[in-house]
Amino acid sequence: MNKIKTTIPIILLVFSTYVVLHAVGASVFHPDSTVRSIDDIDLIRAEYKKINTLKLRALQFKYENLECVDEGETTYYLQDDKVRKIVEKFIKGDGYTLTEYYFKDHKFIFALEIVIGGPAIGPETKTEYRYYVKNDKALRQMEGRKIVVPDTKFTEVLTNAYRLLKARNAKNFNEVICNFE
């Protein structure tokens, strides 16, 4: 009887831990999901390299004095009229942002964002972010070389990737860029 009394709380503890970990998306009990994420990231890296070696047609739009940025440009890189990469550069105040968005089969798969800025008097900072995406869900978010928990920055990058994709035809960058924040 004592054995049952100690076994039941242990079973409940293990089960409740599983439920909590499963609810937050942890893969403790599914080690193959971690392997799949790593495999997916490797596939994204391969696609990134492939896109950057392709001979793509560039379509560039420059803008200045928008409501929210001082100046910038968005360049679309096309393969057979399909967007494979979008590069967005803009200056806002004392900061400069460069973001590269990568697409495969019209789906956003990866972004590299470099933010350079700082106060007018003082040291300049440079931060690099990487976003790995599968089916519009975060696989991994990185700040520098550190893996971080995907946050609202991921959602902003995902949203902006698709807004820029739509803006290509409308050429309404003021609405896309300025309504993003």
Side-chain angles (χ1 to χ4, degrees), residues 1-164:
M1 187 69 158
N2 284 339
K3 192 174 185 180
I4 292 174
K5 284 183 181 177
T6 57
T7 306
I8 290 175
I10 291 171
I11 291 171
L12 289 174
L13 177 65
V14 169
F15 179 73
S16 61
T17 303
Y18 169 78
V19 169
V20 169
L21 290 172
H22 185 69
V24 296
S27 61
V28 172
F29 293 96
H30 301 289
D32 65 317
S33 66
T34 302
V35 171
R36 274 184 271 140
S37 292
I38 292 169
D39 288 346
D40 289 336
I41 289 167
D42 288 342
L43 290 172
I44 290 169
R45 287 178 176 153
E47 190 67 20
Y48 166 88
K49 288 177 184 173
K50 176 183 172 186
I51 290 170
N52 283 315
T53 60
L54 293 172
K55 292 202 183 281
L56 301 172
R57 182 172 58 94
L59 182 60
Q60 185 178 71
F61 300 96
K62 292 185 180 208
Y63 39 89
E64 54 188 48
N65 298 320
L66 294 181
E67 295 172 17
C68 61
V69 297
D70 299 328
E71 65 181 270
E73 66 183 44
T74 301
T75 306
Y76 295 86
Y77 293 90
L78 308 162
Q79 179 184 30
D80 301 326
D81 208 38
K82 289 193 308 191
V83 174
R84 298 302 309 272
K85 177 180 175 179
I86 300 173
V87 176
E88 177 188 38
K89 304 174 192 176
F90 64 86
I91 297 171
K92 180 179 178 178
D94 292 332
Y96 169 79
T97 301
L98 167 96
T99 309
E100 297 179 354
Y101 303 90
Y102 291 82
F103 297 86
K104 181 177 181 180
D105 300 325
H106 306 288
K107 297 289 284 179
F108 172 54
I109 59 166
F110 177 74
L112 170 65
E113 180 178 50
I114 300 170
V115 180
I116 301 171
I121 300 173
E124 184 175 88
T125 61
K126 179 179 178 182
T127 310
E128 183 175 293
Y129 301 93
R130 293 173 185 266
Y131 306 90
Y132 296 85
V133 184
K134 182 177 182 183
N135 297 324
D136 297 333
K137 304 273 189 258
L139 286 175
R140 178 180 289 172
Q141 180 174 327
M142 298 178 72
E143 183 174 335
R145 295 183 165 261
K146 183 178 154 189
I147 297 172
V148 297
V149 176
D151 57 16
T152 56
K153 201 157 177 38
F154 168 79
T155 305
E156 291 171 7
V157 168
L158 176 72
T159 302
N160 202 36
Y162 287 113
R163 283 183 176 177
L164 285 169

